[in-house]
Structure formats: C-alpha cells, structure tokens
Amino acid sequence: AVQSKPVLVLCGPGNNGGDGLVMARHLQLLGYTPQIFYPKRTDKELYKDLVVQAELSDIPFIDSLPSSEDLAATYSLLVDCVFGFSFKPPVRPQFSPILDTLAKTNLPLVCVDIPSGWDVELGPPSDGATPALSPDLLISLTAPKKCAQHFTGRFHYLGGRFVPRQLAEKYQLDLPEYPGTQCCVRIN
C-alpha cells in the first residue's frame, strides 16, 4: 500500500457521495487502502450499484464515524464527499457531527468539488452554525466553482479534461491546459 494507514472516504447521500464511492475504488487501484463511511444511503439504483462495486472490490464500509482521536490513530487521510455544490443550509442533524469532526481534524483533509457546507458561490459558511472546513487539498471537478477563490489550502487540482471547447466558450470557463494525457492538473 502507498500509505501504511488507510484513507477514509466520507460519502453523503447525493452526487458528491457517488463521486466518493467511485473515488474509493480508484484509490484502491492506485495502491491506497480506502475505507468508506456512508451513513445515509439512497435507494437510487446507481448508488446501490456503486456500493456493490466497492463491496466486490473488498473495500470495507464502517458503520459509525470514529472519534477524532481514533481517526488520527487509524487513518492517514480523510476525503470529504459529503455535500456538493447543491448544498443549502442548514446541515441536517445527522450530518452536523460529521462536518464538525472534519472541521476540527488534524489529519490532511481532501475535499471533492467543494468543501462540504460551503456555498458554491460565496464559499465558507457564515451562518454561525455550519462548521467551516479548511481542506489541505481541493479537487475541483470539470471546472473550479466560484467558491474555490476562498480556498486557502496547499493544493488545488482540477480533474476532468472532458469539457468540450464550445461548452467552455459558451460558459466562459477559463480552463487550464492539461499536460500530455493527464486527466488532472494543479491550478495553484
């Protein structure tokens, strides 16, 4: 394995959670040892299929979020795939402790597309109730969202070089060039 400790991928009930289920399998293919925390599963067939694929890949699912101390002792990295760009406050009570734990962790935190709890345009929450995540790594998908201008972590990558030129022009997306055949590019 790339790391001696596993990576915990935290998945929410929507599309961002689906990204996390897929990401766990990719991490495994790249030599990491992922585990998945998926507390609110959906009945949608696509997500059920993604769960089956992870299970068939022998990726374990954990039933409850460990304490901050146990997270630090057990994992090398946390991946936030709880909420995506369609999130609207307030955070449902079931997810508040999850975001609170992610906001307070000392482990490296990776957020996929946008940090959970952030507004897609305005950035970190300002309602005083939603925990504000501060990831070390942000992986924007397709194009950086407006909130990414508030990202202060060390690494910002863009994944998904599949935006057609005409679409990028129509929406005035300022997308970087991808080197060679790479599917992601560092943008900070």
Side-chain angles (χ1 to χ4, degrees):
V2 175
Q3 294 282 334
S4 59
K5 292 181 179 180
V7 172
L8 182 60
V9 181
L10 299 95
C11 299
N15 291 339
N16 202 254
D19 292 337
L21 293 169
V22 172
M23 185 178 194
R25 288 188 295 118
H26 285 263
L27 286 168
Q28 184 185 58
L29 291 171
L30 294 170
Y32 292 87
T33 306
Q35 294 182 5
I36 299 171
F37 177 57
Y38 189 28
K40 184 173 182 355
R41 297 187 186 196
T42 177
D43 286 333
K44 293 181 181 175
E45 203 61 39
L46 171 64
Y47 298 92
K48 288 181 178 180
D49 290 346
L50 293 173
V51 167
V52 168
Q53 291 172 20
E55 290 171 340
L56 291 174
S57 299
D58 296 320
I59 298 172
F61 284 76
I62 63 171
D63 295 324
S64 60
L65 185 63
S67 69
S68 294
E69 296 78 23
D70 287 342
L71 284 172
T74 306
Y75 298 98
S76 61
L77 182 71
L78 302 178
V79 180
D80 161 38
C81 296
V82 180
F83 299 126
F85 63 80
S86 61
F87 169 79
K88 299 284 182 246
V91 176
R92 290 177 292 211
Q94 175 182 9
F95 292 99
S96 287
I98 297 168
L99 294 192
D100 193 53
T101 298
L102 291 177
K104 294 177 180 172
T105 187
N106 290 324
L107 286 170
L109 178 63
V110 176
C111 292
V112 174
D113 214 16
I114 73 169
S116 290
W118 282 34
D119 180 278
V120 69
E121 292 188 356
L122 303 176
S126 58
D127 62 5
T130 305
L133 304 189
S134 297
D136 299 285
L137 166 61
L138 176 61
I139 303 170
S140 293
L141 301 178
T142 308
K145 311 310 179 271
K146 190 173 180 183
C147 66
Q149 63 193 356
H150 298 281
F151 172 69
T152 59
R154 295 184 296 160
F155 306 102
H156 187 187
Y157 279 83
L158 176 62
R161 72 183 288 168
F162 46 78
V163 178
R165 180 188 50 77
Q166 291 175 332
L167 196 61
E169 289 172 1
K170 178 180 178 180
Y171 292 102
Q172 299 175 343
L173 301 176
D174 184 22
L175 300 176
E177 291 293 322
Y178 287 80
T181 58
Q182 295 296 311
C183 291
C184 66
V185 62
R186 186 171 176 178
I187 56 177
N188 74 340

